Each structure stands twice: as structure tokens, then as C-alpha cells.
């Protein structure tokens, strides 16, 4: 048992009465079976209380750090508490890769999957779409394995920690590949769609202070043609950059077109460095990609207020999927991600205005970020997930106050 603690950013101090880190699955099963309320906690990169509980917290980071490659099936089964960066180095050494990574390699596999955390790319789904199977401890302490053959599977992958404590995750893999990364400045907003389609993975950054978008991070496979000198009206960076002006570029992955392995280019930040001080808040909404131009225009009247409490805003595309609680369920999406200053009082009214302005576009929030509006109406399988909750956790062992708001028991 360890201290209860807080999330990574420090804006959420957990209210649980105890925190555990078992060293075996059997120990975990006993803990879960005996608990009245219990929640899994990962690397703490969520910014809301969806994962908080008045009961007990349990981390799976102490379970054996297994990484088992199955070359015949094209999958790897990993311990749920491992960070993506740790899995990636071992996969690459065996000649394999994951198709997509988030901007941070520091996040745990199970936590990222449970909240549909994503990378970027017009044809790439979020990280949860790579899941081929899950092993989890259910409310009665039993061990359950589900895979794509199970009709419940699309509802169990992005599970918000509400269906059990995940112990192992099986992921699709591809042959390893190299990537080169460029940063460009001053993208005209009219060229956003073309930019997002231009490479394997693309992220666009803006501080809402100009009619042009500040930075474009273009991540190309080395077998793609390199970017031309003249590209969509932008100017090439001549030195490494950080997305937030003034922050040290050495924390970021290599740029300037220098080739390197996928896991050292697809994230924005290097595993060996802290990406920022943590003195920040984050919100993120996913909208139909077809609505991107209109949605950004709807935010323009609030640009000055947004800029006043913003560190940086990132725009990314994510491909559609079939997972019930994925923000990208059944629609290609534009993700609008805000990294705010670490002042909840100053940020709250701006966040509420952003939600109001985006409301006509059926925004779906990232489950681990800050949002205010109930997203239920934007998820067609919302009621199916409620039924799954009742089936797998009838006593509400894994429920939290936040979960009850969005998925009422009655």
C-alpha cells in the first residue's frame, strides 16, 4: 500500500482511502474481489475525476512487465501497466512496430486504451483500435479474456476503467519502419485539410493569435517523398522546435528531416524527458472531420479569450472506428486539443464558451480531459455500454461519481 497521491498535473488529488500496487495477478484478484469500491490508476495523465473513487485505487505497474510477441498472429501481448515507450523499444529490437503512437510515450497502455487516447494520421485510428484482445479482473475477482470474436468486444476496449482492472493487452503490430520529421511555420488555415493528408502523421499547432496556424509537425515514413522546399505556403524551420514557444526543444523528438525509428519520431516528446512542468490543464474535443472548417470558424469570435489562457492548441486527424465509446466512433475526426495554463478559475469560463461554440458540431470530448457537457447524446452506443456496465458490474464496484453522471445506473 502506498500514498494515494494525485494525477500528473496535480489538479486532481485522489480521494481514495488507500492505494495498492500488487506484484501478481493473483494478488490483484484478491484485492478486487474483497473491495467494495476500487479503481485502476495508470500514469495519471487524465485531468478529471473519472478515475477517482472514495474506495481504493490499484496500480498494475507492479505486475511482471511481460512483452510477448506472436509473429504468426502479428500481435504482441503486453502487461497493461507498461508505458508505450517501454513496449516500443522492445518491439523495435524484434523488428516490429505499432502503427500509431500518442504524443507522449510516457503513458500506460491500459490507461491510453481505456480513454481512446490517440495519435495522429488521416488513415490511422486511435490507440485502442490496435487492441486485439484484453485480459481483465472483473468485479468478482475472476479473470476474463475477450477478443474480437466476442460481440461485447467493441464496448469493452474503450471502457473508462468501468468494467474491471485490465492486466494484459494484445496489440496488432506491423514491420518496423523509419520516419523523418519536419516542422513548418505559418500554414494558411485553408490548407489545413491538405496538410493533414500529406504524410503518415501530421499535427498542427496554433495559439489563436494569428490567421495562420503557427507550426505543422509532419511525420513521414522514409519511403514517402520528402517535403518540397515550397509546401502549402509555409516556411521550413531551420532549428528544432517545441510546440510551446519558450520550452526547451531538447525535450522533443528529432526534427529537420533526420531519419529515425518510428518510436523516436511519432511521439512529439522523448521518453527520457519530462514533456512539460505539468503546470497545465487540458481539454480536447473530436468533431466530424467534414465540419473542421466551420468548427474552427465558430471559435474565431472567442480567439482573444482563448489565447489569454492558452499555452497551445493542437489539431489532429483520427480515422473512424467501431468502438462504442471512442470519440471517433463511425466518423473520421478532427481533434481540437487545448493545453491551458494551470489556472482552473481563469480557464473554466473559456472552456464553457468553447463547448458552447462547438455544440452544433456534435463534439465528443476526450474522456480523460476537462469538459462540462454530458456527451451521452453524441454516442449512438451509449445505452449499450450502460447495459454492459449493469451486466459486468451490477453492484457498481468500479463506478465513480463522474461515471454515474454520464452512465446512470437506473
Amino acid at each position: 500500500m502506498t500514498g494515494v497521491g494525485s494525477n500528473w498535473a496535480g489538479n486532481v488529488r485522489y480521494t481514495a482511502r488507500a492505494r495498492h500496487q500488487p506484484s501478481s495477478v493473483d494478488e490483484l484478484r484478491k484485492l478486487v474481489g474483497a473491495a467494495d469500491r476500487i479503481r485502476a490508476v495508470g500514469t495519471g495523465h487524465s485531468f478529471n475525476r473519472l478515475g477517482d473513487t472514495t474506495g481504493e485505487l490499484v496500480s498494475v505497474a507492479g505486475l511482471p512487465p511481460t512483452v510477448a510477441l506472436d509473429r504468426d498472429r502479428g500481435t504482441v501481448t503486453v502487461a497493461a501497466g507498461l508505458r508505450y515507450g517501454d513496449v516500443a523499444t522492445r518491439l523495435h529490437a524484434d523488428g516490429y512496430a505499432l502503427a500509431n503512437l500518442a504524443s507522449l510515450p510516457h503513458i500506460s497502455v491500459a490507461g491510453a486504451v481505456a480513454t481512446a487516447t490517440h495519435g495522429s494520421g488521416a488513415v490511422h485510428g486511435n490507440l485502442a483500435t490496435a487492441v486485439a484482445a484484453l485480459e481483465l479482473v472483473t468485479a468478482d475477482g475472476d479473470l476474463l479474456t475477450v477478443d474480437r470474436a466476442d460481440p461485447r468486444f467493441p464496448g469493452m476496449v474503450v471502457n473508462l476503467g468501468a468494467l474491471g482492472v485490465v492486466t494484459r493487452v494484445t496489440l496488432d503490430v506491423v514491420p518496423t519502419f523509419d520516419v523523418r520529421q519536419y516542422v513548418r511555420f505559418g500554414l494558411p488555415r485553408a490548407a489545413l485539410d491538405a496538410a493533414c493528408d500529406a504524410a503518415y502523421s501530421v499535427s498542427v499547432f496554433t495559439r489563436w493569435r494569428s490567421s495562420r496556424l503557427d507550426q505543422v509537425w509532419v511525420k513521414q515514413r522514409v519511403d514517402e517523398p520528402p517535403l518540397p522546399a515550397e509546401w502549402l505556403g509555409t516556411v521550413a524551420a531551420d532549428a528544432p522546435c517545441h510546440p510551446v514557444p519558450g520550452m526547451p526543444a531538447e525535450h522533443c523528438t528529432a526534427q529537420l528531416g533526420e531519419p529515425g525509428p518510428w518510436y523516436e519520431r511519432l511521439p512529439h516528446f522523448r521518453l527520457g524527458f519530462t514533456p512539460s512542468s505539468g503546470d497545465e490543464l487540458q481539454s480536447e474535443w473530436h468533431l466530424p472531420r467534414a465540419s473542421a472548417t466551420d468548427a474552427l470558424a465558430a471559435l474565431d469570435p472567442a480567439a482573444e479569450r482563448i489565447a489569454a489562457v492558452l499555452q497551445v492548441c493542437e489539431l489532429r486527424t483520427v480515422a473512424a472506428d467501431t468502438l462504442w465509446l471512442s470519440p471517433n466512433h463511425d466518423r473520421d475526426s478532427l481533434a481540437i486539443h487545448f493545453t491551458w495554463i494551470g489556472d482552473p478559475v481563469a480557464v473554466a469560463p473559456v472552456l464553457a464558451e468553447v463547448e458552447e461554440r462547438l455544440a452544433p458540431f456534435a463534439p465528443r470530448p476526450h474522456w480523460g480531459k476537462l469538459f462540462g457537457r454530458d456527451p451521452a447524446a453524441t454516442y449512438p452506443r451509449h445505452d449499450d455500454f450502460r447495459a454492459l456496465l449493469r451486466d459486468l458490474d451490477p453492484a457498481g464496484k468500479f463506478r465513480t461519481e463522474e461515471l454515474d453522471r454520464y452512465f446512470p445506473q437506473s
Side-chain angles (χ1 to χ4, degrees), residues 3-15 19 41-46 49 57:
V4 175
S6 63
N7 67 341
W8 171 77
N11 70 305
V12 174
R13 181 156 291 279
Y14 300 126
T15 58
R19 178 171 175 154
V41 62
T43 44
H45 281 83
S46 289
R49 292 195 171 275
L57 293 175

Side-chain angles (χ1 to χ4, degrees), residues 103-106 181-183 205 215 217 219 239-256 258 263-276 312 314:
S103 59
L104 297 178
H106 311 68
Q181 177 171 231
Y182 302 90
V183 175
F205 296 92
Q215 298 182 22
W217 288 42
K219 302 166 191 279
C241 303
H242 191 287
V244 181
M247 292 291 291
E250 58 263 30
H251 293 190
C252 298
T253 49
Q255 302 158 28
L256 304 178
E258 177 188 345
Y263 67 94
E264 292 183 351
R265 297 295 183 276
L266 294 182
H268 301 331
F269 303 105
R270 296 166 63 187
L271 184 62
F273 288 82
T274 302
S276 70
V312 75
E314 182 175 4

Side-chain angles (χ1 to χ4, degrees), residues 18-317:
R19 178 171 175 154
H20 308 273
Q21 186 168 300
S23 58
S24 71
V25 172
D26 284 343
E27 186 183 351
L28 172 64
R29 291 178 64 186
K30 290 176 183 176
L31 273 171
V32 172
D36 58 343
R37 290 286 187 275
I38 194 165
R39 287 285 294 185
V41 62
T43 44
H45 281 83
S46 289
F47 289 79
N48 60 43
R49 292 195 171 275
L50 200 63
D52 193 18
T53 178
T54 55
E56 300 171 73
L57 293 175
V58 61
S59 167
V60 294
L63 299 183
T66 55
V67 177
L69 180 65
D70 188 328
R71 297 174 187 271
D72 292 335
R73 294 179 181 270
T75 61
V76 63
T77 300
V78 306
L82 286 176
R83 301 178 301 173
Y84 272 92
D86 298 322
V87 172
T89 53
R90 295 175 65 173
L91 265 184
H92 179 70
D94 286 331
Y96 287 87
L98 300 172
N100 207 357
L101 287 174
S103 59
L104 297 178
H106 311 68
I107 55 179
S108 69
V109 173
V113 165
T115 53
T117 294
H118 59 93
S120 172
V123 299
H124 304 302
N126 65 54
L127 302 183
T129 62
V131 176
L134 290 174
E135 178 187 87
L136 67 160
V137 177
T138 58
D140 54 9
D142 287 345
L143 204 58
L144 172 66
T145 300
V146 292
D147 60 22
R148 288 175 175 141
D150 191 316
R152 301 172 298 176
F153 185 75
M156 294 187 68
V157 178
V158 182
N159 56 54
L160 313 183
L163 302 178
V165 179
V166 175
T167 55
R168 298 198 301 172
V169 183
T170 300
L171 303 167
D172 296 329
V173 296
V174 297
T176 194
F177 57 97
D178 284 350
V179 174
R180 52 178 175 252
Q181 177 171 231
Y182 302 90
V183 175
R184 309 284 296 213
F185 299 137
L187 180 74
R189 188 187 288 181
L192 174 63
D193 206 48
C196 289
D197 285 332
Y200 189 87
S201 174
V202 176
S203 290
V204 180
F205 296 92
T206 178
R207 291 184 294 156
W208 291 94
R209 298 176 186 271
S210 168
S211 59
R212 286 181 173 250
L213 303 168
D214 296 359
Q215 298 182 22
V216 189
W217 288 42
V218 183
K219 302 166 191 279
Q220 296 182 311
R221 290 180 59 119
V222 295
D223 53 7
E224 295 177 291
L227 283 188
E230 301 293 328
W231 184 73
L232 299 179
T234 61
V235 176
D238 58 6
C241 303
H242 191 287
V244 181
M247 292 291 291
E250 58 263 30
H251 293 190
C252 298
T253 49
Q255 302 158 28
L256 304 178
E258 177 188 345
W262 57 282
Y263 67 94
E264 292 183 351
R265 297 295 183 276
L266 294 182
H268 301 331
F269 303 105
R270 296 166 63 187
L271 184 62
F273 288 82
T274 302
S276 70
S277 66
D279 186 18
E280 64 191 56
L281 302 169
Q282 292 185 13
S283 299
E284 180 175 321
W285 291 273
H286 294 235
L287 305 101
R289 185 173 174 185
S291 301
T293 299
D294 291 340
L296 293 174
L299 293 177
D300 280 340
E304 186 174 337
R305 292 181 291 281
I306 291 171
V309 293
L310 184 70
Q311 294 192 42
V312 75
C313 175
E314 182 175 4
L315 309 174
R316 293 178 278 196
T317 52

